[in-house]
Each structure stands twice: as C-alpha cells, then as structure tokens.
Amino acid sequence: MRKLLAILFVIILFSCQENKEQLNLTEGVYISNVTIISTEDGTYSPYIGHLVVEKDKIVYVGKDEPSISGTFEQIDGTGKFIIPGLIDSHVHLPGVQGMLPNHIEKYPELATKFKSQMPRSYLYYGFTTLIDLGGIYEEDITSFNMEKAKPDLYHIGYSGAAVANGYPMNNIPIEYRFEALPNFIYMESQAENIPDKYDPTNHTPKAVVKRIKNSGAIAVKAYYESGFGHMKGLPLPTKDIMEELLTEAHSNGLVLTVHANSFEGHSFLTDIGVDIISHGLWNWEEYKDVPSDSLPIEIKNMLDLQIKKQIGYTPTLTVIEGEKALVDTEFLNQPGLKKVVPKNLLEWYKTEEAQWFGKKIFSELTVEEIHTMYDNVQGHAMLALKYLSDNNGLILFGSDTPSGPIYSNQPGHNGNWELKLMKEAGVSLNKILASATFNNAKAFHLDSSLGSLAIGKKANIIMMAKNPLTDIEAYDAIEKVVIGGKVIKREDLEVKE
Ligand SMILES: [Zn+2]
C-alpha cells in the first residue's frame, strides 16, 4: 500500500511538473503579472497573467506563472496593461509631410531628419505595423528598413491600379503620370490620352495584378473618385474592371482595397463586394445638406449592405480634421507633436512658406466658413461610422497619414488623433482596439503572425499605464514598445533635438 501511494505521489508530481511551462530562453523577454488585453474574435476578457517572448515570437501567454530558465529580460507588469502592437492600414511613407519637391530641395536637412525620425514616430504612438496604400519603390522600403527601430512595413507595390488619367493620376502632369503609376489600367475610352509606347495588354487588370503581386505587395489598391475641389468628371473604373480586379486580386492571394469617400463610390463598391473601402463615407452628395444627426434612408440601406457583406470600412477621420487644422493657429503648438516632429521642421511649418497648401485649397474662405464646411462633412462621416459600429460593421483602423501634402497629418501622432476621433464619433473602446489590431490583421491576411497576443505570433506588444478598454488616454500612456521581441522604452523613440 505504502509503495502504491509512493508511486501515485510520483505520478502526481510528474504530471504537475508537466503542466508547468518549462521554457529555456536564449534571447527572452518575460512580462510578469500584467493585464493582458487581446482578442481572437472581437470580444475582450482581460486577465492578469504572464507573457514570454523568445527572440521575435511569443512563446507563452497565460494566467499561470511559467517556469523559465536561460537568458531573458524580466519586466514587472504589475498595474500595467499589454495589447498587441497597433496596425495602421492606410499610410503613405514616401515624401515629407507638407513639403513639395522644391521645398525638399531647398531644405534637404529638414527632409533627412524627418525621414530618419519617421519610423520611430510611428512606434512612439504604438504603431508597429504599417500598410502603405500609396505605392512605394524599393529605395523607400530599403531606407525605411535601414533604421534600427521601425514598424513592420507592408505595401501595395509600386503604384495602385488607377484607371488611365483617373484619380490620382490626374494630380501628376501628363508627361510623368504614366511612369509614376506604372500599374495603371488601360481603358479604350482613354486611348487617345495614353502615350503609344504603352501596350494595352500590359495594362489589363490581370497583367497589373500579376505585377503588383510580383512586387511583394499584400493588397491591390484601386480608386473610385470622380473628383473633389476643383477637379470634376474624372474617368472612373467600369464595373467590369472593378470586378476583374477583385477576381485577379483573390486568385493571387491579395486583398482589394479601394479609395472612395462618396455615396456613389461606396454604393458602387458595395454592390460589387470589394474587400475594403479605404476611406469613410463623408461625401454625401445629394444629401450633403441634411443635418449631420440624421441618416437618410438611402445611405442607411447602403451601409446595411456593407455590414451584411462585411466590407472593411476605414474611417480615416483625420483626412477632414487634418485639412481643417491648417487654419488652426494652435495646432503646431501641441506637446505631442514635439515628440515626433524634428524641431527645425516644426519651426518651418510655422513659416509663411509652409502655408502654401492651405492657401491653395481655401483661397478666399474665412476661418469660420472653413469650420462650418468641414464640421458638416465630419459630422456626416462620424454618423456613418457610428451607424456601422452600432450594427456590427467591419471597421478597420486607418489614418491616411498624410492624406495630402499637409503638415497636420504627422507620423504616429495622426494615428493617435484618429483613435480619439473614432471615440468622439461614438465607437466603443473595445471596437477601436479591435479595429487597429485583430480586424486589420485578419482583413489583410496578416493574422497568422499579427493582431493578437498568442503563442507563435510575432512579439509586437505595447505596454501601457492605463487600460485602453476603459480610457482612450491609454494610447497616450504607452510606456514600452516591443517590436519583433526588442523592448524599447517610449522616451527612446522621441525626437532627440
Ligand atoms: Zn491615402
């Protein structure tokens, strides 16, 4: 009997030890006793637990204290919160905020400082993954990746699949635009305005998507934009073109994300069933004068269809707010900007020379007129977003940084502003966090490695002093950023001069 008990005891002991995680680390990070906030389905059940990283991967996450040996850094997470690194699914990295090529030529040192700080600025505000939706060349990717601390970068290839002479090609002088957007779509109706050297067979949706795929892209970007401001009546993709882009994107394992912010554009894309619309719905066209607290039935019906089809909706509220900020004399004095914009560049933004874009788009308007105009548009954008949020629409976080040549959409800072505007629109904090982590990862097929705190996923983790499910200020209370297993203190990401 005694012998039997002894054996039983050994078995129990053995099985206990087996349950306890045995982790032998070589380059580990152990975050202990921390509130873990992550989701695999959009619902949150935070708990106090432990997370272990080995090299660039999460190897343990759970309530039980793991048993660890080897080489690791321990971080006491008592009273702190961790979330997966934030994903901004709509940014533009090339260029310098607010500067034209001639400004960059005139002030090369401002541009150089901006470029080298930019990756850290995104990390400073918790953005560990960026998806460039504007087209990016190898040299920009290389120079971004040369910085020691930088977010993970994904892109849509050298250019979006714009229709010939349509948006955004129309912004570029005709002699450069075809070279600038090598993935343009040939349309017979534009044949006379396309140089002869371009072979139509290289510019079908099929050929274009193949090229985009081969350039290492994760998504195809297309556009449905008839014009805004002074531009009107731009060529638009036909239904056949958009459907073919969708089919080709899917057969190449890519996601189709399409620029549109008008009722017509959202309706067109919703009927087709594209994967993602890369802007919110703020241009209500014939409904533009309805009060911004009432949703016309036609718009509601269209949003219902978006919800039913679970089309990704990217609010990009800072597009409107950023333009409006060009007439806000206090904007550039925000303490949060000093952390991420090099000092001399911030000073330049305050000069007369840097006001060129505001002058161009606002010309004779008074500040009051500008506020009325933008507040009306933003009111509509927020109402559409709130409706989607209340009715289980698929919201994807994207800031469109920068949405134009404006200094008011700064790296990281703008995404942080976007999070706050979503809150202002009435989106719950749970949904805001999901939109910037789990939803984005899933929608862009990055969820095998990103978007949640789970074993096997990449160790992109944000540690905060406040709870992001109860306090939007948590995004301003980031203390540490872990990127690919490397722990960085937030203050080390700030502008140094
Ligand atoms: Zn954009």
Side-chain angles (χ1 to χ4, degrees):
M1 187 61 187
R2 184 169 289 226
K3 202 173 175 186
L4 197 65
L5 275 178
I7 290 169
L8 208 62
F9 180 73
V10 168
I11 289 171
I12 289 167
L13 192 75
F14 184 72
S15 56
C16 279
Q17 274 182 339
E18 235 193 4
N19 279 344
K20 189 141 187 169
E21 293 286 333
Q22 288 287 347
L23 298 162
N24 188 22
L25 308 174
T26 58
E27 285 171 51
V29 177
Y30 171 30
I31 308 175
S32 60
N33 211 27
V34 71
T35 300
I36 296 169
I37 302 176
S38 178
T39 183
E40 298 292 339
D41 61 7
T43 61
Y44 285 93
S45 316
Y47 62 92
I48 293 176
H50 307 265
L51 184 142
V52 182
V53 171
E54 166 68 345
K55 295 185 175 142
D56 66 343
K57 295 247 169 19
I58 296 170
V59 292
Y60 175 81
V61 55
K63 283 183 183 157
D64 299 329
E65 199 174 313
S67 161
I68 305 173
S69 57
T71 311
F72 62 92
E73 173 186 352
Q74 181 161 357
I75 298 168
D76 178 9
T78 309
K80 315 284 184 200
F81 305 83
I82 54 170
I83 59 167
L86 303 175
I87 303 169
D88 190 334
S89 69
H90 189 159
V91 301
H92 302 276
L93 300 186
V96 178
Q97 264 69 338
M99 284 187 140
L100 285 168
N102 65 296
H103 297 131
I104 294 176
E105 213 169 293
K106 192 169 165 192
Y107 306 109
E109 70 289 353
L110 296 185
T112 309
K113 283 232 167 81
F114 173 87
K115 288 268 171 204
S116 77
Q117 170 60 33
M118 182 258 283
R120 284 193 297 281
S121 297
Y122 278 107
L123 292 177
Y124 182 85
Y125 281 105
F127 297 98
T128 56
T129 302
L130 304 176
I131 304 176
D132 188 296
L133 290 192
I136 189 165
Y137 276 87
E138 220 48 62
E139 63 213 60
D140 285 310
I141 297 172
T142 308
S143 78
F144 181 89
N145 284 334
M146 262 164 45
E147 295 299 329
K148 244 172 81 192
K150 69 212 174 259
D152 301 331
L153 172 60
Y154 296 91
H155 60 85
I156 55 129
Y158 305 138
S159 84
V163 292
N165 299 310
Y167 183 83
M169 284 183 99
N170 65 299
N171 286 323
I172 307 167
I174 195 146
E175 60 269 40
Y176 307 120
R177 67 173 63 152
F178 297 94
E179 237 170 280
L181 277 93
N183 298 321
F184 74 86
I185 303 285
Y186 196 98
M187 285 204 302
E188 241 357 278
S189 59
Q190 286 295 315
E192 275 181 26
N193 303 315
I194 303 172
D196 290 340
K197 67 173 179 178
Y198 293 101
D199 179 353
T201 60
N202 284 332
H203 293 275
T204 60
K206 193 181 175 76
V208 163
V209 172
K210 190 92 236 151
R211 213 155 45 236
I212 290 172
K213 168 77 181 175
N214 289 341
S215 60
I218 61 162
V220 174
K221 171 88 178 279
Y223 308 84
Y224 191 94
E225 178 61 69
S226 62
F228 49 83
H230 297 301
M231 33 169 175
K232 292 270 176 322
L234 299 174
L236 290 167
T238 60
K239 190 163 182 276
D240 284 351
I241 288 176
M242 197 56 76
E243 280 175 343
E244 219 179 312
L245 282 172
L246 182 63
T247 309
E248 291 302 323
H250 288 180
S251 65
N252 282 280
L254 302 176
V255 170
L256 178 63
T257 174
V258 190
H259 162 105
N261 51 52
S262 65
F263 179 47
E264 185 197 348
H266 272 247
S267 303
F268 174 83
L269 299 169
T270 301
D271 284 339
I272 289 172
V274 301
D275 299 309
I276 299 166
I277 302 178
S278 63
H279 287 291
L281 172 61
W282 61 70
N283 178 359
W284 283 17
E285 296 175 321
E286 64 258 49
Y287 306 104
K288 72 176 171 39
D289 295 321
V290 305
S292 50
D293 58 357
S294 67
L295 195 63
I297 186 76
E298 293 79 1
I299 293 186
K300 182 187 165 297
N301 288 344
M302 192 274 294
L303 292 175
D304 283 338
L305 190 56
Q306 266 185 26
I307 294 163
K308 192 173 161 211
K309 294 189 175 184
Q310 286 290 287
I311 294 171
Y313 180 100
T314 323
T316 63
L317 297 166
T318 48
V319 173
I320 308 300
E321 221 60 26
E323 282 189 13
K324 189 179 131 189
L326 295 174
V327 292
D328 174 357
T329 50
E330 282 307 302
F331 180 84
L332 290 167
N333 296 326
Q334 292 176 77
L337 276 179
K338 291 194 183 78
K339 305 286 187 186
V340 294
V341 183
K343 192 166 171 269
N344 292 345
L345 182 58
L346 206 48
E347 288 309 314
W348 182 74
Y349 287 147
K350 293 175 184 170
T351 65
E352 193 62 21
E353 191 180 21
Q355 308 311 313
W356 69 274
F357 189 71
K359 281 186 193 147
K360 187 177 152 187
I361 58 171
F362 299 137
S363 54
E364 302 293 291
L365 294 171
T366 65
V367 171
E368 210 182 353
E369 285 167 331
I370 293 163
H371 278 193
T372 309
M373 187 168 88
Y374 279 80
D375 289 347
N376 180 53
V377 173
Q378 190 70 302
H380 288 155
M382 285 188 169
L383 191 60
L385 174 58
K386 168 96 166 86
Y387 183 80
L388 275 159
S389 174
D390 288 347
N391 294 282
N392 289 318
L394 176 59
I395 300 168
L396 305 179
F397 179 87
S399 65
D400 196 9
T401 303
S403 65
I406 57 178
Y407 58 71
S408 42
N409 292 157
Q410 289 292 333
H413 179 270
N414 195 53
N416 182 267
W417 194 10
E418 180 76 24
L419 293 163
K420 291 171 182 165
L421 290 169
M422 287 171 80
K423 166 87 177 16
E424 221 177 280
V427 183
S428 73
L429 290 168
N430 286 26
K431 289 192 178 181
I432 291 173
L433 179 58
S435 79
T437 53
F438 171 77
N439 290 2
N440 261 344
K442 210 165 159 220
F444 282 90
H445 304 169
L446 300 171
D447 51 326
S448 63
S449 64
L450 300 173
S452 65
L453 301 175
I455 292 174
K457 293 213 179 178
K458 197 167 176 218
N460 289 354
I461 304 159
I462 309 301
M463 186 187 262
M464 300 158 143
K466 292 180 183 173
N467 183 349
L469 300 183
T470 58
D471 191 353
I472 191 75
E473 298 299 321
Y475 297 100
D476 291 316
I478 292 171
E479 294 191 341
K480 285 182 169 52
V481 175
V482 183
I483 175 87
K486 301 268 174 295
V487 182
I488 310 174
K489 284 193 288 229
R490 192 187 201 197
E491 54 267 34
D492 291 344
L493 296 163
E494 284 176 23
V495 167
K496 286 289 165 282
E497 54 197 285

